[in-house]
Amino acid sequence: MTLDPIKGDKLSPRYEGPYTVERRTSHGSYVLRDGTGAPLKRHFAPSQLKLVLEDIPDTPTFTVKKLLGHRDSSKVPGTKDYEVQWKDYDVITWEHEGHFVERQCIRDYWDEQAKKEGTTLPTSPTQSSTPDTVPTLLPNTPTKRVSKRQRV
């Protein structure tokens, strides 16, 4: 598991993952792979890693094709639900931001929204008075997957 460098508030998860260590670089950082086996975009220092010894049971996961929209969550105030178009499925569902294992698709969605509006995104939700702020999410991951159960 890796330390979340942009943790938003004290109730946000401090670590994200799990990831598999692929190798250690000559400079001492680690190259990690996500649940699909794809390498993460950046390397992680040992101080940013947390060892998880338990085997995580296989959880069914689905790949996101595209995020179509967002709304304020009715279940958890201050969070968002996202309208998800699934890869290899014709169904579109609403998913809470906490269901996303790898959240690069959410970052991509907010980047796209900022380009449409011609604005820059706030660095934290407290810096904007608008309700459509960027949720604080996981660091860069190349794949876009969602799980109905949260992995620990």
Side-chain angles (χ1 to χ4, degrees), residues 15-16 20 24 33 40 54-55 61 76 87-88 101 116 118 121 125 128 135-137 152:
Y15 289 91
E16 57 193 25
T20 304
R24 184 173 184 204
R33 291 194 173 273
L40 299 183
E54 298 177 25
D55 284 336
T61 57
V76 183
K87 183 178 179 184
D88 300 328
V101 174
K116 285 181 184 177
L121 296 173
S128 173
T136 303
L137 303 170
V152 180

Side-chain angles (χ1 to χ4, degrees), residues 17 22 43 45-46 54 57 73 77 91 96 99 113 115 125-126 132 151:
E22 179 182 326
H43 297 180
E54 298 177 25
S73 177
V91 75
H96 185 266
H99 293 169
Q113 294 300 311
K115 287 178 186 174
T126 57
D132 296 334
R151 289 184 171 189

Side-chain angles (χ1 to χ4, degrees), residues 40-53:
L40 299 183
K41 291 181 181 177
R42 60 178 282 244
H43 297 180
F44 292 87
S47 62
Q48 296 175 317
L49 301 177
K50 179 179 179 182
L51 180 63
V52 178
L53 298 176

